[in-house]
Amino acid sequence: MPRIVSVWLPRWPIQRFLRAQAGRSGSPDRPASPEAVDARRPFVLTVEASGGPRIGAANKAAEAEGLAVGGLVADARARAPGLQTRPLDREADSAALHRLGLWAMRYTPSVAAYRQADGADGLFLDITGASHLAGGEAALLADIVRRLRPFSLGARTALADTPGAAWALSRCHAQAAVVLPAGDDPAGALACLPMAGLRLPDDLCLTLQRLGFRRIGDLLGKERAPFAARFEPVLLKRLDQAMGRREEALIVLEPPPLHHRSRQLLDPIVSQPAVVHVASRLMKDLVPALAQEGLGARTLRLRLFRVDGEVRTIHIGLAAATRDPAHVARLVELDLERLGETIDAGFGFETVSLTVTTTEKIGSRQARLTLRDGTMQAPVLDLAERQSELIDALRQRLGPQAVRQIQPVARHDPAFAEAAVEAGTTPPAWPQADPARLRPPLFLERPEPLQILATGPDGLPGHFRWRGTPHRIVDLQGPERIAGPWWEETAPPLPTGPSEEAFGWGKPKGDKGGSGKAAAQARPKLPDSESPRSVKRSQFENTEAERTPRPTFAAPPQHDYYVAETQAGQRFWLCCEGPERPPRQQTWFMRGLFA
C-alpha cells in the first residue's frame, strides 16, 4: 500500500514573490526601496482575464480586507485603497516549485509537484518504505514543516494512502498535520470535508452546493448512475481517486543531471557528420568537469531538437567508463548509421544536448609527450581499453543485446560448463586446466552415436565406426565418471497413505485370491472404536501424521569418459552411457576431438 504525503503551501505565489524580492533587496517584510512590495499591506498578484484583470493570489492582509481570488482588481482597489498589485508569473512559480521538489528529495526520491488542476501550490511525496528514516510518519511531517519555516513557507501536511485523500486533508482539514493510518478507509476522514477537497472545478462545486451536496460524505453511498448521467466524468473520477478505487499516477520530478552540455546552433544542421562534430565538441566540454571529479562516462544521452519541436534521442552505452571525445563521436556515428532514416532531421536540428546519465570512477592516465613539437597526446590504449572500444562499436552497430561473450559455469559436464552472457570489459575467470582431467578443445554441440565393431576382454571398445569411417583404438585412457546434478532429478511421487492391508482389514487370510460377491462378503467390517484393532489403527495414523516423509530422489545419470587414441594418431573424447549395464547394453557417443 503506497503512502502519499501532501505538502500544501498556502499563498505559494505570494510567498515565492516575496522570497524573490527578499533575495534582491533585503527583508521580505520591510522593503528596501519604494518600488518594492510591503508585505504588511494588502498585496495581490493579478492575471489577465475577460472583463479585466482579476486576482490570482492575495496575501493575508488583502484577505483581511475581504479580497478573494478570482475577484476583479477594479473592485479590489475600491475596497482596499492603496492596494499593491503585481502580475502573476506562473513560469517563475513553477520553476521555484520544481526546485523545492528537488529539495524535498532528501525524504524520498519520488516527489511530484501539484499540477495546475491541483492548484500548482504544493508537492506530493511517496514515502512508501522511507518513513522510518525520519523516525516515523508523524516525525517526518513535523520535520518537513520545521525545515520549510525558515523559508517563510507555512506548510500544511497530510499523509494518506492516495494522493486525492492526502490533498483533501492537507487543504480542508482543521488540523495542520493529519496522518491517516495505513489501510484505513478514507471515507470517514473525508466525509466532513467540503466538495472543494475533491479537486473539482469551481463551477461544478457551486452546482453541487445548489443541489444540496455540500460535503464529500453527501456523495458516499449514493447511486453512481445519476451522477454519471448528469455531471461531468471528473466528479466520479476524483471521488474514486480519493477513495482508492482508481489509480492516480504521479509525475515524479527528475533531478537535473550533474554533467550536461547543450549548444544552440545559429543554422540548423541536417547531415550526419555535422551531428557527430557537435557531439564531439559537447563531449570535449564535459571532459574537464569529469576529470576534476575523477569520473568517466558510462552511459550518455544525446538529444537532437528539431526546428518543428520534435526531439530525437540516442542512448549510448559503453563497456567501460571513458572521457575520450573521439570514442564517443565514433559511437554516435555508428548509432546514426544503424538507425538510418529513423532519425529524421526534418528541417534540421537547432539544438543539440549531451548528458552523462551514468558515471564511474576512472583512474588517471599519463599522456604521451611528443618530442618533435613538445605537445601532449592521448595515452596509448591498453588491451582492456581496446577491447571495450571494440565492444562499444559492435553494440552501436548491431544493437546492445547482439554482442555476447562466453563465461564459465561451475558444472562438471562440459556440455553445460559455458554460458553466453552480455559482453563486458571484465574478463571471465576461467579455471586452471587440470592435467588429470583432459578436455577437448573442439566440443561437439550434440553427442554423436558410435557403432562399436569390436570390444576387448574388459568390454571396452577396440574398434568403432564414426561418420562412416572406421577407427581402431590403440590406447584408451579413463574412465572419468561424471554424474549429473542430483537436484535436477525429478523426485518420484510419494505414497498417499498406507494400504488397507496395513490397517488389518484388507484381504482376509483365508482368501486365495477370490473375488466377486463372496470375497466382498468375507471382508470384515470396520471395527468399532473399542476393539484392539481400531486402537492399533489409530496409533498407526497418529504415527504417520507426525512423521515427516523424506523424499527419495532417483540416482543421477552417470557417464564414463575416455580419451581414445587411434592408429592414425587421432585423439577422441568418448562417452559411455550406462557404465553399470552389461557391455552389450551400453551406448557410446563421440563428445569431442583433441588436436
Side-chain angles (χ1 to χ4, degrees):
M1 181 67 68
R3 298 293 285 166
I4 308 298
V5 174
S6 174
V7 182
W8 178 43
L9 306 172
R11 307 184 187 89
W12 162 248
I14 296 291
Q15 298 296 336
R16 198 278 313 167
F17 182 89
L18 296 177
R19 181 74 181 177
Q21 175 182 267
R24 294 190 302 266
S25 58
S27 173
D29 296 331
R30 297 185 179 182
S33 62
E35 293 80 9
V37 173
D38 188 357
R40 297 169 297 180
R41 296 167 48 201
F43 166 56
V44 297
L45 295 174
T46 63
V47 294
E48 295 296 332
S50 59
R54 293 184 177 271
I55 299 176
N59 67 347
K60 191 173 182 179
E63 292 178 353
E65 296 290 340
L67 306 184
V69 176
L72 290 172
V73 176
D75 298 340
R77 293 185 184 276
R79 301 187 62 174
L83 178 66
Q84 305 171 97
T85 61
R86 295 291 187 276
L88 180 66
D89 191 349
R90 297 191 183 277
E91 294 184 0
D93 295 340
S94 178
L97 190 62
H98 186 276
R99 293 193 298 269
L100 189 63
L102 298 179
W103 169 88
M105 287 185 178
R106 66 181 62 208
Y107 301 103
T108 174
S110 302
V111 179
Y114 282 4
R115 301 183 182 91
Q116 197 63 40
D118 302 334
D121 54 0
L123 301 170
F124 286 122
L125 282 71
D126 188 351
I127 63 167
T128 306
S131 59
H132 66 282
L133 301 176
E137 296 177 344
L140 188 144
L141 298 185
D143 189 70
I144 293 175
V145 175
R146 179 180 60 83
R147 291 182 181 272
L148 289 177
R149 193 173 294 115
F151 300 148
S152 301
L153 297 176
R156 291 176 57 90
T157 58
L159 176 61
D161 293 338
T162 63
W167 190 92
L169 293 173
S170 63
R171 301 178 76 100
C172 305
H173 201 272
Q175 300 180 7
V178 183
V179 177
L180 192 63
D184 281 12
D185 188 5
L190 301 181
C192 59
L193 302 184
M195 284 295 176
L198 291 179
R199 296 176 290 177
L200 301 175
D202 295 338
D203 54 348
L204 181 56
C205 291
L206 182 59
T207 302
L208 291 172
Q209 290 179 4
R210 291 175 178 174
L211 296 176
F213 299 99
R214 303 181 180 275
R215 304 289 178 182
I216 298 178
D218 298 336
L219 299 177
L220 302 178
K222 300 295 191 299
E223 294 291 336
R224 298 172 60 90
F227 292 100
R230 300 185 181 184
F231 297 97
E232 300 176 4
V234 68
L235 173 61
L236 296 180
K237 173 186 174 182
R238 292 300 192 187
L239 181 62
D240 293 341
Q241 288 177 346
M243 298 302 165
R245 294 191 290 262
R246 177 181 295 190
E247 295 290 337
E248 180 177 0
L250 299 178
I251 303 177
V252 180
L253 301 179
E254 182 180 357
L258 298 179
H259 304 92
H260 172 80
R261 293 292 184 274
S262 64
R263 180 162 297 184
Q264 296 183 353
L265 309 173
L266 296 178
D267 297 325
I269 58 176
V270 295
S271 63
Q272 176 180 325
V275 174
V276 174
H277 176 73
V278 176
S280 178
R281 294 291 299 271
L282 293 175
M283 187 62 194
K284 291 180 180 179
D285 296 341
L286 288 170
V287 167
L290 292 173
Q292 184 178 3
E293 301 179 17
L295 301 176
R298 187 66 186 269
T299 59
L300 301 99
R301 182 175 61 239
L302 180 69
R303 285 180 174 174
L304 308 174
F305 298 85
R306 291 196 332 192
V307 176
D308 57 357
E310 294 291 332
V311 181
R312 297 292 183 263
T313 303
I314 298 177
H315 297 277
I316 304 171
L318 297 101
T322 184
R323 292 196 293 260
D324 187 5
H327 181 46
V328 174
R330 174 61 176 163
L331 297 182
V332 172
E333 182 181 4
L334 292 174
D335 211 340
L336 291 175
E337 292 178 358
R338 180 175 62 90
L339 296 176
E341 297 180 356
T342 57
I343 300 293
D344 183 14
F347 293 101
F349 300 111
E350 61 179 357
T351 303
V352 180
S353 69
L354 183 65
T355 304
V356 180
T357 55
T358 306
T359 59
E360 285 185 1
K361 285 290 184 179
I362 185 173
S364 302
R365 295 291 304 275
Q366 177 65 46
R368 291 183 299 168
L369 176 64
T370 304
L371 300 179
R372 180 178 302 176
D373 52 3
T375 59
M376 302 296 292
Q377 296 182 356
V380 180
L381 300 179
D382 56 13
L383 179 61
E385 291 176 333
R386 293 198 302 270
Q387 177 185 355
S388 64
E389 288 194 358
L390 175 61
I391 294 175
D392 294 339
L394 293 176
R395 281 177 175 175
Q396 297 302 119
R397 176 62 66 88
L398 305 177
Q401 302 297 330
V403 185
R404 317 284 285 179
Q405 72 177 13
I406 302 299
Q407 76 171 12
V409 179
R411 296 286 292 269
H412 294 291
D413 192 345
F416 305 97
E418 298 174 351
V421 297
E422 186 177 353
T425 57
T426 304
W430 289 90
Q432 295 293 333
D434 187 359
R437 298 180 178 181
L438 299 179
R439 295 293 183 266
L442 178 59
F443 190 81
L444 300 182
E445 182 179 0
R446 294 183 179 181
E448 298 184 9
L450 303 178
Q451 182 183 2
I452 305 301
L453 303 179
T455 59
D458 52 359
L460 298 177
H463 193 196
F464 67 90
R465 179 181 285 112
W466 176 54
R467 293 184 178 179
T469 303
H471 299 273
R472 187 174 296 276
I473 299 176
V474 297
D475 185 22
L476 195 63
Q477 302 177 16
E480 178 189 352
R481 180 158 295 181
I482 299 178
W486 62 267
W487 58 86
E488 293 185 358
E489 290 294 332
T490 303
L494 298 176
T496 57
S499 61
E500 291 183 347
E501 289 79 1
F503 286 139
W505 61 78
K507 183 186 300 184
K509 294 182 179 180
D511 193 356
K512 302 296 183 180
S515 58
K517 185 176 181 180
Q521 293 176 354
R523 187 183 303 271
K525 298 181 180 180
L526 276 174
D528 53 21
S529 59
E530 302 294 332
S531 65
R533 184 176 296 178
S534 180
V535 174
K536 179 181 178 181
R537 171 177 173 270
S538 300
Q539 293 176 353
F540 185 88
E541 288 183 338
N542 296 336
T543 304
E544 289 296 315
E546 296 175 358
R547 180 183 302 170
T548 302
R550 291 184 58 186
T552 57
F553 294 94
Q558 297 178 353
H559 300 83
D560 285 354
Y561 289 84
Y562 296 84
V563 178
E565 185 174 352
T566 65
Q567 286 182 340
Q570 298 171 308
R571 302 178 69 197
F572 302 109
W573 205 43
L574 307 184
C575 172
C576 175
E577 183 180 12
E580 72 280 356
R581 299 195 295 261
R584 292 183 177 274
Q585 299 180 8
Q586 296 175 354
T587 307
W588 289 79
F589 297 93
M590 178 71 69
R591 295 301 303 269
L593 288 78
F594 292 90

